[in-house]
Amino acid sequence: DLIRFRMGGDYAKEFDLQRTEGLSLQEIVDHFLLKDEINRQESMRKAKLRAQAKIDAELNLQRKAHKDKWGIALHYSISRETGLKLIIETVTENGPAWKCGVRPGDVIVTVDDWLITLMDKPQVACHLFQAG
């Protein structure tokens, strides 16, 4: 019970669940040591992605109204090594994005100071929608 108390929060709930499943104290300790190692590795991966993010140019997109479309088509690639990359596929000439300097092949690195490589697709779509 002392170990459970010191862990607190979600760890305590997980500890209780494992106890009810009949795991030994050593099995529970091993589980949490492995979980901590996985979390440490994920933190290191994210720190590496932050360090690798390179911004060649900063463009501030503007449009007249939120309902106006940017005039771009995106695709993305995602991997554990490089994170998420939003790649501009096409840009409508004389559209809001074109007028701001966006061109096909550009890669979006940040949206409203959010680093794209650390996001998953739904988060990115939400931030893009809210931007501008």
Side-chain angles (χ1 to χ4, degrees), residues 74-101:
L74 296 172
H75 70 272
Y76 71 93
S77 70
I78 190 166
S79 74
R80 289 202 49 77
E81 293 78 30
T82 62
L84 177 65
K85 290 186 177 185
L86 288 179
I87 304 160
I88 307 293
E89 196 168 284
T90 61
V91 184
T92 303
E93 239 181 278
N94 294 316
W98 181 273
K99 289 177 182 175
C100 293

Side-chain angles (χ1 to χ4, degrees), residues 43-111:
S43 293
M44 288 174 49
R45 183 186 75 82
K46 287 182 177 181
K48 181 180 175 184
L49 288 173
R50 277 188 204 94
Q52 290 174 343
K54 182 180 175 227
I55 301 173
D56 292 330
E58 185 173 320
L59 301 175
N60 293 309
L61 298 181
Q62 301 292 322
R63 57 186 173 184
K64 293 179 183 176
H66 276 291
K67 65 179 182 162
D68 293 343
K69 297 188 185 277
W70 288 116
I72 61 174
L74 296 172
H75 70 272
Y76 71 93
S77 70
I78 190 166
S79 74
R80 289 202 49 77
E81 293 78 30
T82 62
L84 177 65
K85 290 186 177 185
L86 288 179
I87 304 160
I88 307 293
E89 196 168 284
T90 61
V91 184
T92 303
E93 239 181 278
N94 294 316
W98 181 273
K99 289 177 182 175
C100 293
V102 176
R103 298 296 181 263
D106 287 352
V107 176
I108 299 173
V109 177
T110 63
V111 173

